[in-house]
């Protein structure tokens, strides 16, 4: 018989999958990745020989899910595992990404220095020498910005401040965390 030829490509190498985290996101100094429930995760896989057959992910050790862009709704720490399989069943060892979902804005408090006085009718009196200080806490991604405004004026980045002119004023204040969760502003009325 005249010989026949079969050309084959031996593929023993699994695909390589990468993950991309959309915004908002914030990598803290301790290496933790903070996101919100609106942050989209995308996976991309490449295979140089037989091609990618399937890409999958799972959250917190749950069932493997065929990949489509996804979000994580629940607050707190989560683990994303992901991998791909090629067309000759080479399966990539899964990779892991740990994220912290943070949907909660910071909490800001205001402290009024001396002199100050609260009258029996609830009115709050200060002088032009009274200093106002703001403090903000955030249990996940951290505080990115604290700001205040007086009488619906422009928001200003926080630094300790006083109100010089006599009269009645409303001080609004708020903070935003590193994944753009903005606190609803609070108000203090002073005279």
């Amino acid at each position: 018989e005249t010989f026949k030829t079969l050309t084959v490509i031996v593929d023993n190498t699994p695909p390589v999958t990468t993950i991309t985290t959309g915004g908002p996101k914030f990598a803290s100094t301790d290496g933790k990745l903070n996101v919100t429930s609106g942050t989209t995760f995308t996976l991309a896989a490449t295979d140089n020989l037989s091609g990618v057959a399937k890409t999958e992910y799972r959250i917190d050790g749950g069932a493997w899910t065929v990949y489509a862009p996804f979000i994580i709704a629940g607050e707190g720490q989560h683990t994303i595992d992901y991998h791909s399989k090629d067309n000759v069943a080479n399966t990539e060892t899964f990779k892991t990404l740990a994220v912290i979902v943070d949907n909660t804005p910071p909490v800001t408090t205001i402290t009024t220095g001396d002199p100050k006085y609260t009258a029996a009718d609830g009115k709050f009196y200060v002088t032009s020498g009274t200093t106002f200080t703001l403090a903000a806490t955030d249990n996940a991604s951290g505080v990115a910005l604290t700001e205040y405004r007086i009488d619906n004026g422009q928001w200003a980045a926080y630094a300790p401040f006083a109100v010089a002119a006599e009269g009645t004023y409303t001080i609004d204040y708020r903070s935003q965390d590193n994944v753009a969760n903005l606190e609803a502003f609070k108000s203090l009325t002073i005279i």
Side-chain angles (χ1 to χ4, degrees):
E1 179 180 14
T2 304
F3 73 84
K4 299 173 185 167
T5 303
L6 173 65
T7 302
V8 296
I9 300 170
V10 178
D11 179 1
N12 293 324
T13 306
V16 175
T17 309
T18 57
I19 190 166
T20 303
T21 306
K25 64 182 174 185
F26 175 74
S28 58
T29 55
D30 60 3
K32 294 183 179 174
L33 180 60
N34 295 270
V35 299
T36 71
S37 60
T39 302
T40 301
F41 297 91
T42 54
L43 300 174
T46 57
D47 187 87
N48 292 333
L49 295 173
S50 64
V52 177
K54 178 169 57 171
T55 299
E56 299 176 305
Y57 72 96
R58 68 181 179 186
I59 298 171
D60 297 331
W64 287 102
T65 303
V66 174
Y67 167 70
F70 62 95
I71 60 171
I72 302 174
E75 274 202 313
Q77 186 158 341
H78 299 279
T79 302
I80 303 167
D81 299 325
Y82 56 97
H83 68 179
S84 295
K85 181 186 290 189
D86 69 14
N87 286 300
V88 290
N90 292 312
T91 302
E92 177 184 23
T93 302
F94 71 81
K95 299 172 184 168
T96 300
L97 176 67
V99 298
I100 299 170
V101 177
D102 176 9
N103 295 323
T104 304
V107 175
T108 308
T109 56
I110 190 167
T111 302
T112 306
D114 290 322
K116 61 187 171 197
Y117 168 71
T118 303
D121 61 3
K123 291 182 179 176
F124 189 55
Y125 294 88
V126 297
T127 71
S128 61
T130 303
T131 301
F132 297 90
T133 56
L134 301 174
T137 58
D138 186 83
N139 291 333
S141 64
V143 177
L145 168 72
T146 299
E147 56 188 1
Y148 73 97
R149 68 182 179 186
I150 298 173
D151 286 342
N152 294 318
Q154 293 291 323
W155 287 101
Y158 166 69
F161 63 95
V163 179
E166 285 192 352
T168 300
Y169 298 92
T170 299
I171 301 168
D172 299 327
Y173 54 97
R174 66 186 182 187
S175 294
Q176 183 172 343
D177 69 15
N178 284 301
V179 289
N181 293 310
L182 181 62
E183 176 183 24
F185 70 83
K186 299 172 187 164
S187 298
L188 174 68
T189 300
I190 61 167
I191 300 171

